[in-house]
């Protein structure tokens, strides 16, 4: 069990010892609020719509499938979107760094590379999203989506989408370190949309005063890809009840394991820390069943993947009401760019 899983079990379970850290959590809230006020005073705006896709909790909520779906819808509508990201887990010779499908994952991180390969849109990573956004503007992007930038307040934003894991919701409802929240639940009343990955019942129970429009998102498996060469196979590639070694170095690995069970497989779970950088020997298991993983894991394993290693691609589905509202807001923003923004 990793240190991260110990904390997550406490936040999403019924551990009592975390409440000993309540004074630290209150201090965290005060400092986070002061930081936000300070950064917003000098926030940098751009002359194109900036859409932030983020969350208020630590761990995976389904942001990456949603971000990919947003990019693809914008492309279909004739826009030229680009994505900025922190590039967590990567270390490049210099920043900002433009990401291509061939960029070493060690330079850009797993999520930006996954997005670049899935959408072929411009992706720029760097610790300063303002600098990265400026690069995308120079590349001709007319919309910028910020991956996991809800708390990056130096970048002014026109729209905010907060993603919530419907199964885990807000854990014990506390901010770090007592709970999993980066900001209190009330922050969701300031965003434009709340997208719930899965059922919204638990979210409504824990946040009955949430006023922001909520939409349910369903993440469904698409197709199997061989990790070594990206060759495709249908979802029926594995016979029912096939045992597989299931590798997951993501924020919520249990969701991936549940998906495999829904496909009729018998996963043997192997949990790794989020953004874990794999080494060849780590994924040699006995018995020698096939190894399956997520797309985010696969970009870090392709160089040494064996023939029976596969990753599962997924798609995010949202109601048409969301897409109509989202695209309408984008069109309105593009017709009235801010006069005091950076061209």
């Amino acid at each position: 069990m990793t240190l991260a899983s110990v904390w997550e079990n406490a936040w999403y379970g019924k551990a009592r010892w975390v409440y000993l850290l309540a004074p630290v959590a209150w201090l965290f809230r005060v400092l986070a609020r002061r930081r936000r006020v300070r950064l917003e005073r000098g926030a940098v705006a751009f002359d194109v719509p900036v859409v932030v896709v983020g969350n208020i909790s630590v761990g995976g909520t389904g942001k990456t499938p949603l971000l990919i779906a947003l990019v693809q819808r914008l492309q279909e509508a004739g826009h030229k979107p680009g994505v900025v990201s922190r590039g967590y887990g990567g270390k490049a010779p210099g920043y900002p760094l433009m990401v291509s499908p061939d960029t070493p994952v060690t330079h850009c991180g797993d999520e930006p590379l996954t997005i670049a390969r899935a959408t072929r849109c411009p992706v720029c990573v760097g610790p300063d999203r303002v600098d990265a956004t400026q690069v995308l503007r120079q590349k001709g992007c007319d919309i910028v989506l910020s991956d996991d930038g809800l708390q990056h307040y130096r970048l002014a934003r026109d729209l905010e989408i907060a993603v919530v894991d419907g199964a885990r919701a807000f854990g014990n409802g506390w901010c770090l370190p007592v709970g999993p929240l980066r900001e209190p639940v009330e922050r969701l009343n300031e965003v434009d949309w709340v997208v719930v990955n899965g059922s919204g019942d638990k979210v409504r129970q824990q946040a009955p005063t949430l006023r922001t429009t909520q939409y349910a998102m369903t993440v469904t498996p698409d197709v199997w890809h061989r990790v070594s060469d990206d060759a495709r196979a249908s979802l029926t590639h594995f016979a029912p009840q096939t045992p597989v070694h299931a590798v997951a170095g993501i924020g919520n690995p249990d969701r991936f394991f549940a998906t495999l069970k829904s496909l009729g497989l018998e996963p043997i779970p192997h949990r790794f820390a989020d953004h874990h950088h794999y080494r060849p020997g780590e994924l040699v298991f006995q018995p020698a069943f096939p190894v399956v993983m997520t797309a985010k894991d696969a970009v870090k394993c392709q160089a040494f993947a064996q023939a029976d290693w596969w990753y599962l691609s997924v798609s995010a589905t949202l109601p048409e009401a969301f897409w109509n509202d989202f695209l309408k807001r984008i069109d309105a923003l593009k017709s009235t760019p801010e006069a005091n923004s950076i061209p």
Side-chain angles (χ1 to χ4, degrees), residues 34-46 128 130 152-157 340 342:
R34 289 181 179 178
R35 172 184 175 274
R36 176 179 177 181
V37 170
R38 174 174 55 83
L39 292 176
E40 284 185 330
R41 287 197 191 107
V44 179
F46 286 83
D128 190 327
V130 171
H152 192 93
Y153 289 108
R154 204 171 85 80
L155 176 64
R157 66 284 312 267
N340 60 345
I342 297 176

Side-chain angles (χ1 to χ4, degrees), residues 23 29 47 51 57 82 100 112 123 127-129 138 142 152 164 167 194 198 221 263 271 287:
R29 287 187 61 164
D47 63 341
V51 183
S57 59
S100 74
V123 177
D128 190 327
R129 285 178 172 84
Q138 295 168 355
D142 59 7
H152 192 93
V164 179
V194 172
L263 294 175
R271 292 176 173 84

Side-chain angles (χ1 to χ4, degrees), residues 36-266:
R36 176 179 177 181
V37 170
R38 174 174 55 83
L39 292 176
E40 284 185 330
R41 287 197 191 107
V44 179
F46 286 83
D47 63 341
V48 296
V50 173
V51 183
V52 169
V53 182
N55 57 26
I56 62 168
S57 59
V58 174
T61 57
K63 292 189 313 300
T64 301
L66 173 60
L67 194 68
I68 290 171
L70 290 169
V71 170
Q72 291 172 339
R73 276 291 180 123
L74 289 169
Q75 290 171 329
E76 291 170 5
H79 301 291
K80 299 177 182 178
V83 175
V84 295
S85 176
R86 170 64 182 85
Y88 186 86
K91 188 174 182 181
Y95 293 108
L97 173 72
M98 288 298 299
V99 180
S100 74
D102 299 322
T103 300
V105 68
T106 53
H107 287 179
C108 64
D110 47 24
E111 290 174 355
L113 186 56
T114 301
I115 294 167
R117 289 184 175 181
T119 66
R120 304 289 162 160
C121 84
V123 177
C124 189
V125 302
D128 190 327
R129 285 178 172 84
V130 171
D131 291 344
T133 299
Q134 184 66 57
V135 171
L136 290 183
R137 284 296 291 120
Q138 295 168 355
K139 298 291 184 180
C141 295
D142 59 7
I143 298 171
V144 173
L145 295 97
S146 178
D147 173 31
D148 196 22
L150 201 60
Q151 289 80 33
H152 192 93
Y153 289 108
R154 204 171 85 80
L155 176 64
R157 66 284 312 267
D158 300 285
L159 299 172
E160 292 182 326
I161 304 174
V163 188
V164 179
D165 183 341
R168 302 196 298 180
F170 311 111
N172 59 18
W174 280 71
C175 285
L176 293 164
V178 176
L181 301 185
R182 302 170 178 174
E183 296 182 284
V185 174
E186 292 77 18
R187 172 69 172 89
L188 296 180
N189 282 323
E190 302 176 32
V191 305
D192 296 275
W193 300 283
V194 172
V195 171
V196 181
N197 185 3
S199 170
D201 293 343
K202 196 168 185 178
V203 174
R204 286 187 287 270
Q205 291 171 6
Q206 289 193 278
T209 61
L210 182 58
R211 301 183 301 272
T212 304
T213 302
Q214 301 177 45
Y215 289 102
M217 177 177 73
T218 303
V219 178
T220 54
D222 286 332
V223 67
W224 288 107
H225 302 252
R226 191 158 50 210
V227 177
S228 61
D229 59 5
D230 213 41
R232 296 189 172 201
S234 71
L235 294 179
T236 58
H237 173 73
F238 295 104
Q241 298 183 324
T242 297
V244 294
H245 291 288
V247 172
I250 58 177
N252 184 7
D254 289 335
R255 184 180 290 276
F256 177 59
F257 302 145
T259 298
L260 296 177
K261 291 178 181 178
S262 74
L263 294 175
L265 303 181
E266 294 186 1

